[in-house]
Amino acid sequence: GKDGYRHFMEKELHEHPLAIGQTLQRITDPTTRQLVLPEMPFDPATLPRATITACGSAFYAGMVGRYWLESIARLPIDIDVASELRYRNPPQPNQGMALLISQSGETADTLGVLRVLKKEQQKIVSILNVEHSTMGRESDLVLGMVAGPEISVASTKAFTAQLSVLAALTLTFARKRGVINAQQERELTNHLLDLPSRAAEVMKLFGAVRVMARVIAQARDVLYLGRGICMPIAQEGALKLKEISYIHAEAYAAGELKHGPISLIDPSVPVVAIAPSTILFDKTLSNLQEAKARGGRILAFTDAKGAERLSDIAEHLVILPDVDAFVAPILYTIPVQMLAYEVALLKGTDVDQPRNLAKSVTVE
Ligand code: F6R
């Protein structure tokens, strides 16, 4: 049941801390506090490259995974949505890995890629919530998330659980590829293991998010901006808003704003920024100043330090706990999904069963 919540989506948003915590706990060695994944069906040290694929939200989780695996584990990645990759016929390396991400394990296009790449001799590793699924049976290795059942059509806690597994995979590969030292690994691992507590603090932000939601609910179009590792979180936010509130939203890499979409900006098109104070903060800030100068209404998710710099230009801020840049995409997902939920409430849509959508897309 809904445990007293109005919707499954509301309940599942509250389960983010649990989904992250349980997923990490399953792969944390209790004595060393090291993240330990099952043995890979190949040697990560000599893996030449990997392909990541998925659909929808799971694809955006894969985009975060690409940033991590490339920048931390130094592994070259090809990534595409499954419906495209399926028919692209790209050359595959000897002994490569295909990494599939799916909550249900039944999505037709992702399964289609699994079968195509298996024929190409790629080792199939799947990150799944439903482990006893078709993808689970056909994979060489399943990395399970422990998110629990997700009933709401719009994915929430499965996304942060997927990211938790991807982060653990990144650290494991980085260790085996010899590109990270023990102390760096320990620090990054600790940031991850601290996340359930930080995520629990984020649950207190529903009120602040609701204020922001009132601006969005009036709009016909919304622009989401992020940079680097937070760009896919902007994409996840725009998808979730479209999906459950039926408001048109687009996500852009903040640096792309001046290459076209800036012409859309006026007071009727709110700009939502995912802007933790990481190394790219100043660049995002200057993009937001450009949007503001053209009459844009700026709404931002940031931390205390970012808030000081954004207070002049932003109409509403949601201020998150300080976290390391490595784990910021996981934490920032939560209020971004909360925003879509609060807007849908204001719009009075069918939050758990949005029109035209099914929880599991088993046809092409
Ligand atoms: C978005 C959403 C969909 C799914 C997509 C993939 O909220 O729920 O975009 O993420 O259909 O589904 P799975 O993960 O089951 O393969």
Side-chain angles (χ1 to χ4, degrees):
K2 294 179 202 162
D3 294 354
Y5 291 108
R6 289 162 292 181
H7 300 97
F8 281 107
M9 186 175 178
E10 186 183 30
K11 173 176 179 240
E12 289 162 7
L13 282 166
H14 283 274
E15 289 171 345
H16 272 295
L18 195 66
I20 300 165
Q22 289 177 344
T23 297
L24 291 173
Q25 193 182 26
R26 186 183 183 188
I27 49 177
T28 306
D29 182 318
T31 47
T32 63
R33 271 176 60 96
Q34 200 176 43
L35 294 163
V36 183
L37 288 173
E39 189 80 29
M40 296 290 146
F42 50 81
D43 180 5
T46 56
L47 187 64
R49 59 180 301 119
T51 301
I52 300 179
T53 196
C55 301
S57 279
F59 173 72
Y60 299 137
M63 290 280 287
V64 176
R66 176 182 74 168
Y67 279 95
W68 281 333
L69 285 164
E70 289 188 336
S71 67
I72 300 171
R74 310 306 297 156
L75 180 66
I77 300 290
D78 179 23
I79 181 164
D80 205 349
V81 290
S83 57
E84 286 298 315
L85 186 64
R86 215 177 153 172
Y87 303 109
R88 251 177 56 200
N89 194 22
Q92 295 298 328
N94 281 333
Q95 309 287 321
M97 167 179 85
L99 184 61
L100 276 54
I101 307 166
S102 176
Q103 190 285 126
S104 64
E106 301 294 345
T107 301
D109 280 318
T110 312
L111 183 59
V113 173
L114 186 157
R115 290 173 178 162
V116 167
L117 293 187
K118 209 171 186 178
K119 275 208 193 91
E120 301 272 341
Q121 322 295 325
Q122 303 303 292
K123 293 290 181 197
I124 310 292
V125 177
S126 300
I127 299 178
L128 305 176
N129 195 29
V130 184
E131 293 177 49
H132 298 282
S133 53
T134 310
M135 281 181 225
R137 280 192 300 278
E138 297 189 22
S139 298
D140 295 302
L141 176 68
V142 174
L143 300 176
M145 338 162 192
V146 195
E150 194 180 67
I151 310 294
S152 157
V153 164
S155 185
T156 52
K157 59 179 178 165
F159 187 88
T160 52
Q162 285 156 4
L163 291 182
S164 303
V165 175
L166 284 162
L169 186 71
T170 300
L171 295 181
T172 304
F173 278 15
R175 180 197 318 138
K176 300 209 161 157
R177 293 166 75 79
V179 294
I180 194 173
N181 66 39
Q183 194 200 329
Q184 291 167 322
E185 183 186 345
R186 201 157 39 240
E187 282 172 14
L188 294 178
T189 302
N190 286 338
H191 293 313
L192 264 176
L193 297 179
D194 277 346
L195 261 180
S197 318
R198 299 291 85 74
E201 291 168 35
V202 168
M203 293 305 144
K204 298 183 196 128
L205 298 177
F206 266 102
V209 169
R210 201 164 297 140
V211 176
M212 202 183 255
R214 287 193 207 117
V215 177
I216 304 288
Q218 305 299 317
R220 207 189 61 177
D221 307 284
V222 182
L223 215 51
Y224 281 71
L225 299 180
R227 264 184 189 263
I229 207 155
C230 285
M231 204 269 274
I233 307 310
Q235 293 176 301
E236 163 65 4
L239 174 65
K240 213 110 296 178
L241 188 74
K242 284 182 274 212
E243 200 175 6
I244 62 170
S245 78
Y246 315 145
I247 294 172
H248 170 235
E250 272 193 81
Y252 264 90
E256 280 288 295
L257 190 65
K258 54 166 68 81
H259 299 288
I262 198 162
S263 69
L264 288 171
I265 290 185
D266 69 25
S268 73
V269 183
V271 175
V272 178
I274 322 299
S277 50
T278 63
I279 193 158
L280 294 172
F281 178 85
D282 285 348
K283 299 198 182 292
T284 306
L285 180 64
S286 92
N287 300 132
L288 294 175
Q289 281 159 341
E290 288 155 9
K292 171 81 175 174
R294 283 150 189 91
R297 297 174 74 177
I298 312 296
L299 314 171
F301 295 96
T302 188
D303 46 34
K305 207 162 132 226
E308 278 174 30
R309 315 270 313 278
L310 281 161
S311 59
D312 293 345
I313 62 163
E315 191 172 323
H316 294 293
L317 292 173
V318 172
I319 302 175
L320 281 81
D322 284 330
V323 286
D324 189 81
F326 175 51
V327 296
I330 309 183
L331 197 72
Y332 279 66
T333 296
I334 303 172
V336 165
Q337 292 176 343
M338 282 158 75
L339 178 62
Y341 176 72
E342 291 293 334
V343 175
L345 283 186
L346 291 169
K347 291 292 226 180
T349 57
D350 188 349
V351 175
D352 285 335
Q353 293 284 338
R355 66 190 182 199
N356 310 340
L357 289 170
K359 179 67 183 159
S360 178
V361 183
T362 54
V363 290
E364 223 180 307

